[in-house]
Amino acid sequence: ISGDGILVGKVISVSSGSADVRVISDRESSTAVTLLNGTRTIGVAEGMAGALLTLNYIPQDERVEINDIVVTSGLESGVPSGLIVGIVNAVSSEPTAPFQSAILEPLGDARRVTTVTVLLPEPL
């Protein structure tokens, strides 16, 4: 995470002197998230082409608006709730589909981050 509590990526491998991190906008990345809307809608944010994310599996009856803030939900092992992920830029909904989706702009730009904090799992 960056110093502002913004999720930038996840450690995917560790060696004796370094760690590999996958940024949240990477196509291989997915993160359990919550919209900070009236009902705290949960979903899965996935990386897509470019620097954006897509938020999938939002039930049709949930209200999602542009500029809604998205944070980690805490439903994913090793990722605490409340880390800032991004904001909603667009919402896509088809009346016959069970879910709607949203495009998110990450608030952390991994290309410009110089210092991060690595969260370690709690000991058993």
Side-chain angles (χ1 to χ4, degrees), residues 59-124:
Q60 282 288 2
D61 61 346
E62 293 292 330
R63 187 173 179 191
V64 181
E65 296 184 9
I66 293 174
N67 293 326
D68 279 350
I69 301 291
V70 179
V71 298
T72 55
S73 67
L75 297 175
E76 184 177 352
S77 177
V79 181
S81 64
L83 299 175
I84 300 167
V85 174
I87 60 171
V88 174
N89 273 354
V91 179
S92 175
S93 179
E94 302 223 6
T96 58
F99 298 105
Q100 55 185 319
S101 63
I103 302 297
L104 307 178
E105 179 180 346
L107 290 182
D109 184 350
R111 298 170 299 175
R112 291 180 171 72
V113 174
T114 58
T115 305
V116 296
T117 300
V118 177
L119 301 178
L120 300 174
E122 292 182 23
L124 298 175

Side-chain angles (χ1 to χ4, degrees), residues 43-60:
V44 177
E46 298 175 323
M48 55 187 287
L52 299 175
L53 306 169
T54 182
L55 178 54
N56 297 310
Y57 310 114
I58 306 167
Q60 282 288 2

